[in-house]
mmCIF file with all atom_site columns, all heavy atoms in Angstrom:
data_model
loop_
_atom_site.group_PDB
_atom_site.id
_atom_site.type_symbol
_atom_site.label_atom_id
_atom_site.label_alt_id
_atom_site.label_comp_id
_atom_site.label_asym_id
_atom_site.label_entity_id
_atom_site.label_seq_id
_atom_site.pdbx_PDB_ins_code
_atom_site.Cartn_x
_atom_site.Cartn_y
_atom_site.Cartn_z
_atom_site.occupancy
_atom_site.B_iso_or_equiv
_atom_site.pdbx_formal_charge
_atom_site.auth_seq_id
_atom_site.auth_comp_id
_atom_site.auth_asym_id
_atom_site.auth_atom_id
_atom_site.pdbx_PDB_model_num
ATOM 1  N N   . LYS U 1 331 ? 75.730 -46.871 -110.406 1.00 97.00 ? 1596 LYS U N   1
ATOM 2  C CA  . LYS U 1 331 ? 76.757 -46.801 -111.445 1.00 97.00 ? 1596 LYS U CA  1
ATOM 3  C C   . LYS U 1 331 ? 76.683 -48.055 -112.301 1.00 97.00 ? 1596 LYS U C   1
ATOM 4  O O   . LYS U 1 331 ? 76.560 -49.170 -111.805 1.00 97.00 ? 1596 LYS U O   1
ATOM 5  C CB  . LYS U 1 331 ? 78.153 -46.667 -110.830 1.00 97.00 ? 1596 LYS U CB  1
ATOM 6  C CG  . LYS U 1 331 ? 79.243 -46.498 -111.884 1.00 97.00 ? 1596 LYS U CG  1
ATOM 7  C CD  . LYS U 1 331 ? 80.615 -46.395 -111.265 1.00 97.00 ? 1596 LYS U CD  1
ATOM 8  C CE  . LYS U 1 331 ? 81.160 -47.745 -110.857 1.00 97.00 ? 1596 LYS U CE  1
ATOM 9  N NZ  . LYS U 1 331 ? 82.595 -47.670 -110.479 1.00 97.00 ? 1596 LYS U NZ  1
ATOM 10 N N   . VAL U 1 332 ? 76.765 -47.848 -113.618 1.00 96.00 ? 1597 VAL U N   1
ATOM 11 C CA  . VAL U 1 332 ? 76.741 -48.975 -114.552 1.00 96.00 ? 1597 VAL U CA  1
ATOM 12 C C   . VAL U 1 332 ? 77.771 -48.739 -115.643 1.00 96.00 ? 1597 VAL U C   1
ATOM 13 O O   . VAL U 1 332 ? 77.970 -47.598 -116.078 1.00 96.00 ? 1597 VAL U O   1
ATOM 14 C CB  . VAL U 1 332 ? 75.325 -49.160 -115.145 1.00 96.00 ? 1597 VAL U CB  1
ATOM 15 C CG1 . VAL U 1 332 ? 74.885 -47.919 -115.898 1.00 96.00 ? 1597 VAL U CG1 1
ATOM 16 C CG2 . VAL U 1 332 ? 75.253 -50.382 -116.047 1.00 96.00 ? 1597 VAL U CG2 1
ATOM 17 N N   . LYS U 1 333 ? 78.431 -49.799 -116.070 1.00 90.00 ? 1598 LYS U N   1
ATOM 18 C CA  . LYS U 1 333 ? 79.390 -49.703 -117.174 1.00 90.00 ? 1598 LYS U CA  1
ATOM 19 C C   . LYS U 1 333 ? 78.712 -50.257 -118.411 1.00 90.00 ? 1598 LYS U C   1
ATOM 20 O O   . LYS U 1 333 ? 78.336 -51.430 -118.457 1.00 90.00 ? 1598 LYS U O   1
ATOM 21 C CB  . LYS U 1 333 ? 80.661 -50.467 -116.856 1.00 90.00 ? 1598 LYS U CB  1
ATOM 22 C CG  . LYS U 1 333 ? 81.863 -49.989 -117.661 1.00 90.00 ? 1598 LYS U CG  1
ATOM 23 C CD  . LYS U 1 333 ? 83.163 -50.472 -117.049 1.00 90.00 ? 1598 LYS U CD  1
ATOM 24 C CE  . LYS U 1 333 ? 84.363 -49.835 -117.733 1.00 90.00 ? 1598 LYS U CE  1
ATOM 25 N NZ  . LYS U 1 333 ? 85.622 -50.224 -117.106 1.00 90.00 ? 1598 LYS U NZ  1
ATOM 26 N N   . PHE U 1 334 ? 78.543 -49.399 -119.427 1.00 83.00 ? 1599 PHE U N   1
ATOM 27 C CA  . PHE U 1 334 ? 77.817 -49.782 -120.628 1.00 83.00 ? 1599 PHE U CA  1
ATOM 28 C C   . PHE U 1 334 ? 78.625 -49.403 -121.853 1.00 83.00 ? 1599 PHE U C   1
ATOM 29 O O   . PHE U 1 334 ? 79.007 -48.235 -122.017 1.00 83.00 ? 1599 PHE U O   1
ATOM 30 C CB  . PHE U 1 334 ? 76.448 -49.099 -120.659 1.00 83.00 ? 1599 PHE U CB  1
ATOM 31 C CG  . PHE U 1 334 ? 75.576 -49.507 -121.799 1.00 83.00 ? 1599 PHE U CG  1
ATOM 32 C CD1 . PHE U 1 334 ? 74.969 -50.755 -121.808 1.00 83.00 ? 1599 PHE U CD1 1
ATOM 33 C CD2 . PHE U 1 334 ? 75.363 -48.646 -122.870 1.00 83.00 ? 1599 PHE U CD2 1
ATOM 34 C CE1 . PHE U 1 334 ? 74.166 -51.148 -122.866 1.00 83.00 ? 1599 PHE U CE1 1
ATOM 35 C CE2 . PHE U 1 334 ? 74.551 -49.040 -123.931 1.00 83.00 ? 1599 PHE U CE2 1
ATOM 36 C CZ  . PHE U 1 334 ? 73.961 -50.288 -123.931 1.00 83.00 ? 1599 PHE U CZ  1
ATOM 37 N N   . ASN U 1 335 ? 78.931 -50.416 -122.683 1.00 79.00 ? 1600 ASN U N   1
ATOM 38 C CA  . ASN U 1 335 ? 79.750 -50.193 -123.883 1.00 79.00 ? 1600 ASN U CA  1
ATOM 39 C C   . ASN U 1 335 ? 81.085 -49.525 -123.540 1.00 79.00 ? 1600 ASN U C   1
ATOM 40 O O   . ASN U 1 335 ? 81.541 -48.626 -124.259 1.00 79.00 ? 1600 ASN U O   1
ATOM 41 C CB  . ASN U 1 335 ? 78.992 -49.358 -124.919 1.00 79.00 ? 1600 ASN U CB  1
ATOM 42 C CG  . ASN U 1 335 ? 77.842 -50.127 -125.559 1.00 79.00 ? 1600 ASN U CG  1
ATOM 43 O OD1 . ASN U 1 335 ? 77.830 -51.347 -125.541 1.00 79.00 ? 1600 ASN U OD1 1
ATOM 44 N ND2 . ASN U 1 335 ? 76.866 -49.395 -126.078 1.00 79.00 ? 1600 ASN U ND2 1
ATOM 45 N N   . GLY U 1 336 ? 81.670 -49.931 -122.419 1.00 81.00 ? 1601 GLY U N   1
ATOM 46 C CA  . GLY U 1 336 ? 82.975 -49.422 -122.011 1.00 81.00 ? 1601 GLY U CA  1
ATOM 47 C C   . GLY U 1 336 ? 82.947 -48.063 -121.332 1.00 81.00 ? 1601 GLY U C   1
ATOM 48 O O   . GLY U 1 336 ? 83.986 -47.553 -120.947 1.00 81.00 ? 1601 GLY U O   1
ATOM 49 N N   . GLU U 1 337 ? 81.771 -47.459 -121.187 1.00 89.00 ? 1602 GLU U N   1
ATOM 50 C CA  . GLU U 1 337 ? 81.647 -46.140 -120.555 1.00 89.00 ? 1602 GLU U CA  1
ATOM 51 C C   . GLU U 1 337 ? 80.918 -46.248 -119.224 1.00 89.00 ? 1602 GLU U C   1
ATOM 52 O O   . GLU U 1 337 ? 79.947 -47.006 -119.090 1.00 89.00 ? 1602 GLU U O   1
ATOM 53 C CB  . GLU U 1 337 ? 80.897 -45.176 -121.470 1.00 89.00 ? 1602 GLU U CB  1
ATOM 54 C CG  . GLU U 1 337 ? 81.632 -44.838 -122.757 1.00 89.00 ? 1602 GLU U CG  1
ATOM 55 C CD  . GLU U 1 337 ? 80.885 -43.791 -123.570 1.00 89.00 ? 1602 GLU U CD  1
ATOM 56 O OE1 . GLU U 1 337 ? 79.988 -43.116 -123.001 1.00 89.00 ? 1602 GLU U OE1 1
ATOM 57 O OE2 . GLU U 1 337 ? 81.162 -43.665 -124.772 1.00 89.00 ? 1602 GLU U OE2 1
ATOM 58 N N   . GLU U 1 338 ? 81.386 -45.467 -118.242 1.00 94.00 ? 1603 GLU U N   1
ATOM 59 C CA  . GLU U 1 338 ? 80.707 -45.410 -116.948 1.00 94.00 ? 1603 GLU U CA  1
ATOM 60 C C   . GLU U 1 338 ? 79.533 -44.461 -117.017 1.00 94.00 ? 1603 GLU U C   1
ATOM 61 O O   . GLU U 1 338 ? 79.658 -43.318 -117.484 1.00 94.00 ? 1603 GLU U O   1
ATOM 62 C CB  . GLU U 1 338 ? 81.687 -44.952 -115.865 1.00 94.00 ? 1603 GLU U CB  1
ATOM 63 C CG  . GLU U 1 338 ? 82.798 -45.936 -115.580 1.00 94.00 ? 1603 GLU U CG  1
ATOM 64 C CD  . GLU U 1 338 ? 83.778 -45.394 -114.556 1.00 94.00 ? 1603 GLU U CD  1
ATOM 65 O OE1 . GLU U 1 338 ? 84.191 -44.233 -114.709 1.00 94.00 ? 1603 GLU U OE1 1
ATOM 66 O OE2 . GLU U 1 338 ? 84.131 -46.142 -113.634 1.00 94.00 ? 1603 GLU U OE2 1
ATOM 67 N N   . LYS U 1 339 ? 78.377 -44.916 -116.579 1.00 95.00 ? 1604 LYS U N   1
ATOM 68 C CA  . LYS U 1 339 ? 77.174 -44.107 -116.538 1.00 95.00 ? 1604 LYS U CA  1
ATOM 69 C C   . LYS U 1 339 ? 76.638 -44.079 -115.102 1.00 95.00 ? 1604 LYS U C   1
ATOM 70 O O   . LYS U 1 339 ? 76.814 -45.038 -114.358 1.00 95.00 ? 1604 LYS U O   1
ATOM 71 C CB  . LYS U 1 339 ? 76.092 -44.669 -117.463 1.00 95.00 ? 1604 LYS U CB  1
ATOM 72 C CG  . LYS U 1 339 ? 76.511 -44.836 -118.919 1.00 95.00 ? 1604 LYS U CG  1
ATOM 73 C CD  . LYS U 1 339 ? 76.571 -43.499 -119.630 1.00 95.00 ? 1604 LYS U CD  1
ATOM 74 C CE  . LYS U 1 339 ? 76.848 -43.693 -121.126 1.00 95.00 ? 1604 LYS U CE  1
ATOM 75 N NZ  . LYS U 1 339 ? 76.936 -42.398 -121.842 1.00 95.00 ? 1604 LYS U NZ  1
ATOM 76 N N   . VAL U 1 340 ? 75.991 -42.973 -114.760 1.00 97.00 ? 1605 VAL U N   1
ATOM 77 C CA  . VAL U 1 340 ? 75.310 -42.874 -113.468 1.00 97.00 ? 1605 VAL U CA  1
ATOM 78 C C   . VAL U 1 340 ? 73.824 -42.797 -113.717 1.00 97.00 ? 1605 VAL U C   1
ATOM 79 O O   . VAL U 1 340 ? 73.336 -41.882 -114.393 1.00 97.00 ? 1605 VAL U O   1
ATOM 80 C CB  . VAL U 1 340 ? 75.796 -41.648 -112.670 1.00 97.00 ? 1605 VAL U CB  1
ATOM 81 C CG1 . VAL U 1 340 ? 74.972 -41.486 -111.383 1.00 97.00 ? 1605 VAL U CG1 1
ATOM 82 C CG2 . VAL U 1 340 ? 77.266 -41.785 -112.316 1.00 97.00 ? 1605 VAL U CG2 1
ATOM 83 N N   . LEU U 1 341 ? 73.094 -43.781 -113.188 1.00 97.00 ? 1606 LEU U N   1
ATOM 84 C CA  . LEU U 1 341 ? 71.636 -43.806 -113.303 1.00 97.00 ? 1606 LEU U CA  1
ATOM 85 C C   . LEU U 1 341 ? 71.028 -43.123 -112.096 1.00 97.00 ? 1606 LEU U C   1
ATOM 86 O O   . LEU U 1 341 ? 71.498 -43.271 -110.971 1.00 97.00 ? 1606 LEU U O   1
ATOM 87 C CB  . LEU U 1 341 ? 71.133 -45.243 -113.396 1.00 97.00 ? 1606 LEU U CB  1
ATOM 88 C CG  . LEU U 1 341 ? 71.718 -46.119 -114.524 1.00 97.00 ? 1606 LEU U CG  1
ATOM 89 C CD1 . LEU U 1 341 ? 71.122 -47.512 -114.462 1.00 97.00 ? 1606 LEU U CD1 1
ATOM 90 C CD2 . LEU U 1 341 ? 71.487 -45.483 -115.882 1.00 97.00 ? 1606 LEU U CD2 1
ATOM 91 N N   . ILE U 1 342 ? 69.958 -42.376 -112.339 1.00 97.00 ? 1607 ILE U N   1
ATOM 92 C CA  . ILE U 1 342 ? 69.214 -41.728 -111.277 1.00 97.00 ? 1607 ILE U CA  1
ATOM 93 C C   . ILE U 1 342 ? 67.834 -42.359 -111.216 1.00 97.00 ? 1607 ILE U C   1
ATOM 94 O O   . ILE U 1 342 ? 67.072 -42.321 -112.193 1.00 97.00 ? 1607 ILE U O   1
ATOM 95 C CB  . ILE U 1 342 ? 69.073 -40.218 -111.523 1.00 97.00 ? 1607 ILE U CB  1
ATOM 96 C CG1 . ILE U 1 342 ? 70.446 -39.591 -111.717 1.00 97.00 ? 1607 ILE U CG1 1
ATOM 97 C CG2 . ILE U 1 342 ? 68.331 -39.540 -110.390 1.00 97.00 ? 1607 ILE U CG2 1
ATOM 98 C CD1 . ILE U 1 342 ? 70.400 -38.126 -112.104 1.00 97.00 ? 1607 ILE U CD1 1
#
Side-chain angles (χ1 to χ4, degrees):
K1596 184 180 78 169
V1597 60
K1598 202 164 188 177
F1599 184 73
N1600 290 338
E1602 294 184 17
E1603 293 177 313
K1604 303 286 186 181
V1605 174
L1606 304 180
I1607 304 175

